[in-house]
Amino acid sequence: MDEFDLIAEKFLPLTDGRHEAFGLKDDGALVPRSNGEDLVTSLDSLIEGVHFLAADPPETIGEKLLRVNLSDLAAMGARPEAYLLAVSLGQDRLKGSGYLPWMDGIVAGLRSAQLCFGLSLLGGDTTAGPGPTSFSVTIFGRVPKGRALRRDHADAGDDLYVSGSLGDGALGLAILQDRLSGLTPRDTATLVRAYRLPEPRLELGQALLGRDFSRAAMDLSDGLMGDVAHLARASGIKAEIFADQVPLSDPVRSVLTRQPEFADFPFGAGDDYELLFAAGPDKREKIADLSVELGVKVCRVGRLMAGQGVRLLDAGGREKAIQSASWRHF
Amino acid sequence: MDEFDLIAEKFLPLTDGRHEAFGLKDDGALVPRSNGEDLVTSLDSLIEGVHFLAADPPETIGEKLLRVNLSDLAAMGARPEAYLLAVSLGQDRLKGSGYLPWMDGIVAGLRSAQLCFGLSLLGGDTTAGPGPTSFSVTIFGRVPKGRALRRDHADAGDDLYVSGSLGDGALGLAILQDRLSGLTPRDTATLVRAYRLPEPRLELGQALLGRDFSRAAMDLSDGLMGDVAHLARASGIKAEIFADQVPLSDPVRSVLTRQPEFADFPFGAGDDYELLFAAGPDKREKIADLSVELGVKVCRVGRLMAGQGVRLLDAGGREKAIQSASWRHF
């Protein structure tokens, strides 16, 4: 039983069928509001050695804490509002003399993200534990009532788009884990930065909702093919992804040319935090214009149709196999 | 620097002075609502080996997850509404064959608390990590607008009350850690149950707010004297606690008679999750009646006055010293 089964089988009954829980299949949940807005909330934990590395600069850890949570808000088209933060400091971290400067760095990173994205801390919890240091963030955002972008609102006939480029964060992690080397200093810096400081696509998500270009979106955190499968399944339709249309940055393209063992990373390795969304074919020109307006690359990478499942197609329309479809914690 | 300094010095600036954060000194924070109610929220993490024990029955762990968070709602006079749950499964737990039945037990405990206290799961996060298993719960509740019970609303002249009895949970933990033995099976069961299944005083908190008996409350999670100090400091006044008025259960009294090394537990050992609240002397009779009405023991244990600091007084009015004033994680 993997985590998705666990959620569906063990936790889903606990929602009592409340529609605000979105069947535990979306990036967040609503707390109903009455003044024309819904309050969106999401809770994510980040654990040392899993979601960030002990050697990462603490400023980037603090920023990442909020950025990955803000990515959930972006995926719902929400405007950020506030967050709660739980910190559990590991004994190793507490025993070391460097824990206070490290915590200062975390706080500086949080502050930086707060200024950049417009939200404030509201409360939380501080404890110590025997394991690695971990953080939990509950984030709050607002959307016009009943209009949150949802995984289950995609339609057959829609195009599928992704923002930015894919595989950068996963290759950055591979560099930090000494599984990838030999890149130029500039490419190394670009990929490591993508891992440490993912870009939440808030403006894009809000514009897609506000201009009614899309009703279905999610953020890519577990790998393109696995996440597309989630969206297609939630919407009850089938997805085809055009492998040669998946956007790659120059550093990623350079790595893939020299080291084919990383060829699947843009399709299944996770850590992208880009937006995946569906839109009708009549919106193609408007979405291209929006991409220019916001300065955010947006690529059409696939299409949705009646049926079920997900296929990755090469330039000739033949199905392409990849090794790892999706990141799983267990 | 301890956790309270850390919060005040490092995290407080991040609230941008928003009043909804209550200066990070209360049991929760508000998300403003417009329809006559405030939405109260609180985030707490529970870590294996710290807040619960690996050998605890998983049903009681699941119940405790919600009960300790519900205790925060009780302390604000709120009605429970919903919660978010983040689970991080430790590798040891995952490797063992028993992890699925264990998770079933957790879920059964959550379900039991949901039925008992009237709330539903809304969303969350599931991951695995290298350390111990941990949980984070963000809880939501409602209070009439602007009326949440607050730590900083106690007045000089008020009496101080506590619900239930103190020290039971901490002695229960001592039994489970083999630091205390020789009790009758019945006393052992009572104390262990108090540790594993603390009772959130929701009805009491809601009645204190609803009938305007009190404007100041908090839950006792870190030990009476330390928590009274928090309340007194937040309200800018001084507190005196009458040691012989602090309510003790029969099992606790029995342990303290035989083993004086545990004498300070009711005053400083934590794990009580009882309600501490302030009320004017004109409310004494009404609070006694409320105690009978709800079937919840409520004892007047002290008083508040101009000044600062906290004193524990014996029956003769002499100051009494205790060793450990408050539980601290680091």
Side-chain angles (χ1 to χ4, degrees), chain B residues 53-104:
Chain B
L53 305 175
D56 283 336
E59 292 78 6
T60 68
I61 299 171
E63 281 230 24
K64 188 170 183 175
L65 280 178
L66 286 182
R67 284 168 175 256
V68 301
N69 279 280
L70 287 160
S71 182
D72 284 327
L73 292 187
M76 306 189 85
R79 284 185 295 115
E81 172 75 22
Y83 69 103
L84 307 174
L85 175 67
V87 181
S88 171
L89 284 164
Q91 290 300 347
D92 289 349
R93 182 71 65 190
L94 275 174
K95 277 178 196 153
S97 59
Y99 117 81
L100 274 179
W102 188 81
M103 189 53 72
D104 284 337

Side-chain angles (χ1 to χ4, degrees), chain A residues 19-272:
Chain A
H19 81 274
E20 297 95 335
F22 292 156
L24 296 186
K25 287 175 184 155
D26 224 299
D27 297 287
L30 300 182
V31 179
R33 291 177 62 83
S34 57
N35 63 348
E37 287 188 319
D38 286 322
L39 184 69
V40 174
T41 187
S42 173
L43 166 58
D44 275 311
S45 293
L46 280 86
I47 301 160
E48 191 169 284
V50 181
H51 305 89
F52 62 92
L53 305 175
D56 282 336
E59 292 78 6
T60 68
I61 298 170
E63 280 229 26
K64 189 170 183 175
L65 281 178
L66 287 182
R67 284 168 176 256
V68 301
N69 279 281
L70 286 160
S71 182
D72 284 327
L73 292 188
M76 305 189 86
R79 283 184 296 115
E81 172 76 20
Y83 68 103
L84 306 174
L85 175 68
V87 181
S88 171
L89 283 163
Q91 291 300 347
D92 288 348
R93 180 72 64 190
L94 276 173
K95 277 177 195 152
S97 59
Y99 118 79
L100 274 179
W102 187 81
M103 189 54 72
D104 284 337
I106 299 287
V107 170
L110 293 168
R111 161 61 65 194
S112 171
Q114 287 191 201
L115 289 172
C116 196
F117 301 109
L119 75 172
S120 305
L121 182 68
L122 270 192
D125 181 33
T126 306
T127 63
T133 295
S134 66
F135 301 91
S136 292
V137 171
T138 298
I139 200 157
F140 301 100
R142 299 171 184 279
V143 290
K145 199 164 185 62
R147 305 242 351 253
L149 302 178
R150 303 254 304 262
R151 295 187 187 188
D152 58 357
H153 277 174
D155 292 315
D158 280 354
D159 297 315
L160 271 179
Y161 295 82
V162 298
S163 63
S165 61
L166 302 188
D168 302 71
L171 289 179
L173 176 58
I175 291 170
L176 292 170
Q177 291 175 331
D178 292 328
R179 295 186 288 126
L180 172 62
S181 59
L183 286 71
T184 66
R186 184 173 164 170
D187 283 359
T188 298
T190 300
L191 298 178
V192 166
R193 183 187 159 87
Y195 172 72
R196 288 179 171 160
L197 294 177
E199 193 63 39
R201 301 300 186 182
L202 287 159
E203 288 190 328
L204 177 60
Q206 290 160 28
L208 290 171
L209 184 159
R211 301 181 195 187
D212 214 14
F213 290 173
S214 171
R215 297 194 310 132
M218 65 181 294
D219 77 323
L220 292 172
S221 53
D222 294 338
L224 176 66
M225 296 307 292
D227 284 334
V228 168
H230 292 311
L231 183 132
R233 198 180 310 124
S235 294
I237 50 184
K238 174 181 173 181
E240 286 182 352
I241 300 293
F242 315 128
D244 62 337
Q245 302 299 312
V246 170
L248 305 180
S249 67
D250 289 342
V252 169
R253 203 176 292 275
S254 162
V255 169
L256 267 49
T257 304
R258 289 182 301 112
Q259 295 176 256
E261 67 268 33
F262 291 106
D264 290 346
F265 268 46
F267 305 107
D271 280 312
D272 290 313

Side-chain angles (χ1 to χ4, degrees), chain B residues 110-162:
Chain B
L110 291 168
R111 161 61 64 193
S112 171
Q114 288 190 202
L115 288 172
C116 197
F117 301 108
L119 73 171
S120 306
L121 182 68
L122 270 191
D125 182 34
T126 306
T127 62
T133 295
S134 66
F135 301 91
S136 292
V137 171
T138 297
I139 201 157
F140 301 100
R142 300 171 184 278
V143 292
K145 198 164 186 62
R147 305 242 349 257
L149 302 178
R150 303 254 304 259
R151 295 186 187 189
D152 59 357
H153 277 175
D155 292 314
D158 280 355
D159 297 316
L160 271 179
Y161 295 82
V162 298

